[in-house]
Amino acid sequence: MSTAPPEFTIGSLYIAGFAQARAPHVGLIIPTSGKTGCLVHIRIDRATSDKWAYQCRPQPIEGDMFLSSLLKIHDISAGPITLDQLRTAATAVPPPDNDEFGECEAWMAKVVEQLHATNLIACTDVTGLVDEFHAFATGNRAYARRDKFPNVAVSQFCV
């Protein structure tokens, strides 16, 4: 297993990208250790509605074969964001009322806007951030392996 790079810090906030067929699945994660974190995201709920549903769950970081990208948008050194604060911001943004592919990225951007509006993060350009993440995550398919740590970078749009 490869080790975490220096850009990875426990307690910081990241946009997480998961490898899938068409485009990366997207969520937000706060690592609670080098091996796991708390992920907030939306997913299609086939069991009950066939529509997007909010989910908050533990997420493996090290050894996960789908998690390929972590883009840091808030470093813990600037002050912690608690899991409760992340969940509050995420639940303030309703999931889309459809089952169209790709809605997770737009939902994540709205959560980032919510985090910025409540002064939990400082983001200078959400559209630029989304474009930056998309370009970064698209090139990380080779990191979607159990023996590789996800590729980690720091956003130029969040301080």
Side-chain angles (χ1 to χ4, degrees):
M1 172 64 59
S2 57
T3 59
E7 298 87 5
F8 179 80
T9 50
I10 296 166
S12 293
L13 178 63
Y14 296 84
I15 301 174
F18 298 84
Q20 59 182 19
R22 288 191 259 175
H25 177 61
V26 181
L28 293 164
I29 189 168
I30 296 177
T32 53
S33 75
K35 296 181 184 276
T36 62
C38 181
L39 175 73
V40 297
H41 69 132
I42 56 172
R43 63 180 183 82
I44 298 290
D45 186 356
R46 299 269 182 234
T48 61
S49 67
D50 275 344
K51 293 182 180 176
W52 290 100
Y54 165 78
Q55 184 182 50
C56 177
R57 65 176 172 84
Q59 170 61 47
I61 296 172
E62 185 179 54
D64 186 274
M65 66 181 291
F66 297 104
L67 179 59
S68 63
S69 308
L70 293 170
L71 182 65
K72 187 185 294 187
I73 61 172
H74 179 82
D75 192 84
I76 191 164
S77 66
I81 295 175
T82 68
L83 298 177
D84 283 340
Q85 289 171 317
L86 178 58
R87 286 190 286 258
T88 297
T91 57
V93 178
D97 192 24
N98 63 51
D99 65 352
E100 296 172 22
F101 181 82
E103 294 279 4
C104 57
E105 191 173 74
W107 178 85
M108 176 277 303
K110 291 177 184 173
V111 175
V112 167
E113 289 172 342
Q114 179 68 21
L115 290 163
H116 178 79
T118 56
N119 296 316
L120 291 172
I121 66 170
C123 185
T124 59
D125 180 359
V126 174
T127 301
L129 173 65
V130 169
D131 291 344
E132 175 188 43
F133 177 77
H134 188 72
F136 172 64
T138 299
N140 289 335
R141 187 166 290 282
Y143 288 86
R145 296 173 35 170
R146 291 191 197 283
D147 63 342
K148 287 199 177 247
F149 199 85
N151 198 9
V152 181
V154 178
S155 175
Q156 65 179 331
F157 295 101
C158 298
V159 292

